[in-house]
Amino acid sequence: AIKMSREDPYFPDCHMIPQWCYASMVDYWVPHGRHLESDLRQLHPNMANLSMHVENSEGMSDTPGPCVRFNITTDCINSTNMELL
């Protein structure tokens, strides 16, 4: 898998190489939490003024998200179609 990932840039190394090997390619790890914007700002001076806007979130802004706008519900989810997914 390591040999193939070096030869083929489209080889899915994140799935085929053990996770510890994939993690060794990571330069920075930033937790995805409520302080994401400030954590990203600390990575590099060029990101000091980064502003992240909330997108596609329910109940976090004045405009309703896509689930409300398009009447998306979980009514159609059952064990059969979840198995197909």
Side-chain angles (χ1 to χ4, degrees):
I2 292 172
K3 180 180 179 238
M4 289 179 71
S5 71
R6 289 182 181 143
E7 295 171 357
D8 181 2
Y10 298 106
F11 183 74
D13 61 347
C14 62
H15 299 289
M16 301 301 290
I17 297 176
Q19 289 301 309
W20 64 266
C21 188
Y22 178 67
S24 71
M25 294 188 273
V26 173
D27 292 323
Y28 299 99
W29 179 83
V30 178
H32 190 198
R34 73 173 73 187
H35 305 291
L36 180 61
E37 183 178 85
S38 63
D39 291 342
L40 287 172
R41 286 178 176 183
Q42 295 174 17
L43 286 178
H44 192 274
N46 288 347
M47 298 178 79
N49 296 321
L50 173 76
S51 291
M52 297 180 69
H53 302 283
V54 177
E55 299 286 336
N56 290 336
S57 62
E58 303 292 334
M60 294 188 72
S61 67
D62 294 334
T63 56
C67 293
V68 173
R69 288 193 318 258
F70 300 109
N71 195 26
I72 299 170
T73 68
T74 57
D75 293 341
C76 63
I77 296 177
N78 58 43
S79 59
T80 304
N81 59 28
M82 287 302 291
E83 188 174 319
L84 291 172
L85 289 173

